[in-house]
Amino acid sequence: MTGHEPILGASLEELRATRSSVKWRAYPPDVLPAWVAEMDARPCAPVVEAVTAALRRGDTGYPWVRPFEDAFTGFAKRRWGWAPEPGPVVADVMIGIAELLHVLTPTDGAVVLSPPCYDSFYGFVASVRRRLVTAPLSRRGGADHRLDPEALDRAFADAGPGSAYVLCNPQNPTGTVHTADELATLARIAGRRGVTVISDEIHAPLVQPGTTYTPYLAVPEAARGIAVVSASKAWNLAGLKAAMVVPGPEARDAVGALHEVVTHGANHLGVIAQTAAYAEGEAWLDQLLGEVADRRALLARLLAERLPAVVPTPAQATYLAWLDCRGLGLADPAEVFLERGRVAVSAGTLYDPAATGWVRFNLATSAEVVTEAVARMAAAVA
């Protein structure tokens, strides 16, 4: 693709005709999908070329991950000045986290989450049959969702030594980018309480220009932590899965406890695609980030004009908007937007059981779709 062709420019007609993924097929054709975290993006050319070439030459066997490791470490150094130590490559981020929870926490142990957070965190904690403990993000300043040291300390004490904390860095759905100081404080509390921090950093490349992103393991205090990374979210490669478990300097033995068969799940074409994304996809990514910023500004402007009772949370990362709809006085705004407006957004209670009156809106689409979605949402509550 050229630098002049929009990445998020496909028309609604084109999207309906060309997309066969769950985002565009889960609801009837008259529903605008703004729910699941999948972009309506034109693909990154180096990724297309790498995968197409592999298929043409019949290179469809089991993955060889060394190029993937090199591509990610090069990207991390260029982007964040971080030199990670690569670890095992696994099927995807959440499978990697689940396997880590199995080997790092006792069967009667606990896992701490900070809602609002990625909804699948709850499901995977249940799947590994660990006790759930929460340390909600704070609301300092009224709308700034930040890690709360006091809540973390209470939750870690409740969870007990040997438990784990799954960090969302950056945070989904709020778009919060945790600062180096916040991450250092988290690491010190975790160390004092004997808690292992596992950082989901799938949204890390999606931090807006002008905002400093800090990988959790780049904080010296986080030596016992573990990160799980993937290019799938930033380059829209959910159908080409692969992820890497990255140990902190003092967590290599812990990560080494993962059974070797866990590394068999990565998709060979996914490894090839993500290697190309990390190694050759930064120009595409930079253009995408500019377009996402434009969509976020468009969404804020349209809401202020058409639906002022809905307030977007300030965000520095992701292509998701965390919308405060409590001013509408609705028990379930997501249901109303769907049934009356034919717009599918995600209910806030998926990310925080206490977040009634909130929704998550996916803005990684064309300006046409964002504009039409807000118009429909406004009509639904008129």
Side-chain angles (χ1 to χ4, degrees):
M1 82 180 302
T2 70
H4 300 292
E5 182 182 12
I7 293 173
L8 301 175
S11 68
L12 182 55
E13 180 181 21
E14 180 183 351
L15 291 167
R16 291 201 190 284
T18 61
R19 296 302 194 264
S20 62
S21 63
V22 65
K23 179 180 180 181
W24 285 91
R25 301 298 178 182
Y27 290 94
D30 65 324
V31 173
L32 280 181
W35 59 293
V36 69
E38 170 190 322
M39 294 190 282
D40 299 330
R42 302 189 194 279
C44 175
V47 172
V48 174
E49 292 163 5
V51 174
T52 302
L55 287 170
R56 283 179 176 156
R57 64 179 181 260
D59 185 9
T60 54
Y62 297 110
W64 175 246
V65 301
R66 183 64 57 79
F68 181 43
E69 296 170 350
D70 293 343
F72 172 70
T73 55
F75 177 84
K77 184 176 181 179
R78 292 190 305 273
R79 208 76 178 179
W80 307 310
W82 175 42
E85 180 69 30
V89 173
V90 294
D92 63 25
V93 166
M94 289 312 305
I95 295 300
I97 290 174
E99 293 297 335
L100 287 166
L101 294 176
H102 273 301
V103 302
L104 295 177
T105 62
T107 55
D108 60 350
V111 177
V112 182
L113 304 178
S114 286
C117 60
Y118 179 41
D119 55 321
S120 289
F121 282 180
Y122 299 100
F124 276 91
V125 171
S127 78
V128 298
R129 294 173 172 80
R130 300 305 192 260
R131 181 169 63 94
L132 173 66
V133 180
T134 61
L137 299 181
S138 74
R139 295 293 312 282
R140 294 195 299 271
D144 200 13
H145 297 76
R146 313 302 310 182
L147 294 174
D148 185 332
E150 294 181 0
L152 289 167
D153 191 52
R154 287 193 299 269
F156 291 175
D158 180 354
S163 61
Y165 173 64
V166 181
L167 170 68
C168 206
N169 181 35
Q171 195 84 9
N172 166 16
T174 65
T176 304
V177 175
H178 309 300
T179 68
D181 287 344
E182 288 171 332
L183 295 176
T185 298
L186 162 64
R188 286 192 290 269
I189 298 170
R192 186 169 67 248
R193 294 294 188 181
V195 172
T196 299
V197 176
I198 304 171
S199 184
D200 172 358
E201 304 195 345
I202 198 169
H203 288 275
L206 292 166
V207 172
Q208 284 294 309
T211 298
T212 298
Y213 171 71
T214 303
Y216 179 66
L217 298 182
V219 175
E221 294 88 344
R224 292 181 59 251
I226 301 166
V228 190
V229 303
S230 174
S232 67
K233 200 60 65 180
W235 282 271
N236 207 40
L237 301 173
L240 290 164
K241 289 187 173 184
M244 184 188 301
V245 177
V246 182
E250 297 176 16
R252 295 190 182 108
D253 288 345
V255 169
L258 290 172
H259 196 285
E260 189 266 343
V261 297
V262 172
T263 68
H264 294 182
N267 180 296
H268 180 47
L269 293 178
V271 169
I272 289 171
Q274 296 200 29
T275 298
Y278 281 131
E280 304 176 65
E282 280 184 83
W284 184 94
L285 176 64
D286 289 337
Q287 182 181 335
L288 172 73
L289 291 175
E291 294 184 26
V292 168
D294 290 344
R295 297 299 181 275
R296 197 175 295 280
L298 173 64
L299 177 64
R301 184 170 70 252
L302 291 171
L303 290 174
E305 294 171 356
R306 301 291 304 275
L307 203 50
V310 175
V311 181
T313 298
Q316 302 82 38
T318 79
Y319 51 76
L320 307 163
W322 186 234
L323 305 182
D324 184 352
C325 305
R326 290 174 296 176
L328 297 174
L330 301 172
D332 187 349
E335 181 179 20
V336 172
F337 292 147
L338 177 60
E339 296 303 320
R340 299 183 194 170
R342 310 308 285 163
V343 178
V345 294
S346 299
T349 49
L350 293 173
Y351 310 94
D352 180 355
T356 54
W358 293 76
V359 304
R360 192 188 76 169
F361 182 101
N362 179 349
L363 49 83
T365 187
S366 66
E368 174 191 351
V369 172
V370 173
T371 301
E372 175 67 14
V374 174
R376 293 188 185 194
M377 291 161 65
V381 297

